[in-house]
Amino acid sequence: MILSESRSKRLLSEYQVGIPAGATAASEAEAIERARDLGCSRFVVKAQISAGGRGLAGGVSFSDSPEAAGKAAAQILGRRLVTEQTGPAGEVVRRVYVEEAVNIRDSLYLGIVIDQQTALPTLLGSAEGGVAFEQEAAVRPEILDRLALAPDCAYDDDAITGFLERIGLDGEPLSNARQLVIGCIQAFRKNDISLLEVNPLAVTDAGQTLAVDAKIVLDGNALFRHPEFEALSDDLWVDTAERTARDNEINLVRLKGNIGVITNGAGLGLATNDMIFDAGGLPANFMDIRTTATSFGIARGVDLLLAESDITVLLLNVHGGGMTVCDTVVEGLAFAYSRSKRRLPIVARLAGQNAPWARTILKDRRLPHEHFDTMSAAVSRAVSIASGRYR
Amino acid sequence: MGILVDGTTRVIVQGMTGRSGTFYTDLAMRYGSEYVGGVRPGKGGTRHMGLPVFDTVGEAVAETGATASLILVPAHNAAAAMLEAINAEIGVAVCVTERVPVHDMLQVHAALHESKTVLIGPNSQGILTPAGCKIGVMSTADARPGCIGIASRSASLTSEIVASTSAAGLGQSTTVGVGGDPIHGLGFRRCLEMFRDDDRTRGVILIGEIGGIEEEEAADYLTSIEYGKPVVALVAGRHSPSERRMGHAGTLSMFGSRTAGEKAARLERAGVKIADDADKVTPAMVDALA
């Protein structure tokens, strides 16, 4: 679960991480009021969405008066912001963050990630933070410094100091930054964070260090330990269809195409979409029916596809295993069709556990389907239907 | 033969008395595997499905001579269960549990260092040596004893490849699900090493996907030696948008994670035959063995 900038910063500030003064607003009037409360002379208004890449997509603007900040907020509120990380649907901006614009002397980057190679929480740092940092680090990895922590995030004081020296800090900014880094490490551990980024970590003219922007990804698997985050999930979930699917034990990602895809398992879902692309078609979604999904949950997932007017055919590719058997999926499909007016053609390929029984269900419920024995044959049929070559 | 588990493996189940514990223990015993007991704190001394139940893994190992454990406990207890199995020095621990917090896995991973236990999972369908031993939740209907070793990050694609290798008359020596989580136990590299030493295995199939570093480690290993057996790989997710999360926690593309295309290219340079899609995996192996 991704926390918005304002929530990420509020969480970090509980661990003595310095942040610029700021508050969220949902309207122009609110934005003006928040800006007046800040009592400073220069403001920054930032769209609050869960995805990154805002700066480059016009989601951040500076203004010199509370009224101008209000205008900036009015311009962006309600707008759909598409960044390189949101997916094509983008995200509607429902709140902005109005913040004091600080005088930044140096922009650094600080991250804490879980390094899969070492299985250790690892500090990442760079003297070259800022909006273009990710692109820059991809081509010049040498600008990134690393420091591995212990599995429980324990750290060595001298090692932290050395790490901060390596990313160009000394004197008072260094000791301020050390407090900031230690606060971030504690927040990372205590809140089951899987990714924490402060970019930029700003050094101000006065030598202060501030988290000017922050991004936190919480480990969704650890939410049972953090009931305090449950309430947040409502307004942070990116896409309502994807959220509904998740609530029904289905991983759904919406894509641009017109072939609705129903598969069990992440690997099979990825492989099916690969085959659709290779055959010249475009999947409308990625779907992974989790092993914990029931027929009713699967029906909700199919409902979501039937509600998409772009979709012209459903490709059902299920390999029944020890946990998800074919008939569970087909029962869900039949249930969704029974309560929908749409009779989208179904191209089915059922294999593995209970496949014959599932095919009987498809026939008995008179679902408009064709069955193929191989994935390739089913995919190629679905692609030809989707491209208008149907009958 | 096969790797890690066979007909002589003696299995206990942590969480045997729960609903899924009962269900999958029953299926595995019907398949003919040697299940010798279960662990459920507070129910030590009782019996379940004809098997003795113990309070701790240590007691279960001492009393039954168990050499492997199947872990089917809820996510919030999974790390403790894995650590208990590791501390009891059980040979193979298979954790099926999904959604284990990643910070918990950091502790488990650290405990594996210099331990005697091979951990499979979590978020794994398990390990199967057909007609020998099943520790996990996979279907066995299409599995046949044979000569192909399979190491996979995806349960659904494993079912697919098990079915096609059986239909082609090859069968499987052992199939291993390394699990879909970013931090896990056994990986592709170690599987490849063991399949290389296994007389019954004539060829190895790797089923990978976007994210993680399994494919890169496998490629580095295969580059470093003369492997001597054909290796075929499928890397799913060539067309998935790289910034977005697709199902498995391990598939979140992030620092250092490569695309499916880059992973496949790296494996290919290491001498691996790449299958473009699931239907082409088994034919590629048949060709390679001909």
Side-chain angles (χ1 to χ4, degrees), chain B residues 196-251:
Chain B
R196 186 174 187 238
D197 293 338
D198 175 42
D199 292 341
R200 192 157 109 188
T201 302
R202 291 178 56 215
V204 180
I205 293 173
L206 300 177
I207 304 169
E209 59 188 31
I210 44 171
I213 51 169
E214 287 297 326
E215 296 79 6
E216 287 79 358
E217 289 182 349
D220 289 351
Y221 166 67
L222 291 170
T223 307
S224 72
I225 52 145
E226 187 65 50
Y227 192 67
K229 297 179 183 183
V231 181
V232 173
L234 171 69
V235 185
R238 276 179 292 123
H239 293 283
S240 76
S242 61
E243 301 287 341
R244 310 204 64 202
R245 191 187 182 114
M246 300 284 189
H248 286 169
T251 58

Side-chain angles (χ1 to χ4, degrees), chain A residues 195-208:
Chain A
L195 170 69
L196 186 156
E197 284 185 286
V198 176
N199 184 28
L201 190 179
V203 180
T204 66
D205 292 341
Q208 273 185 298

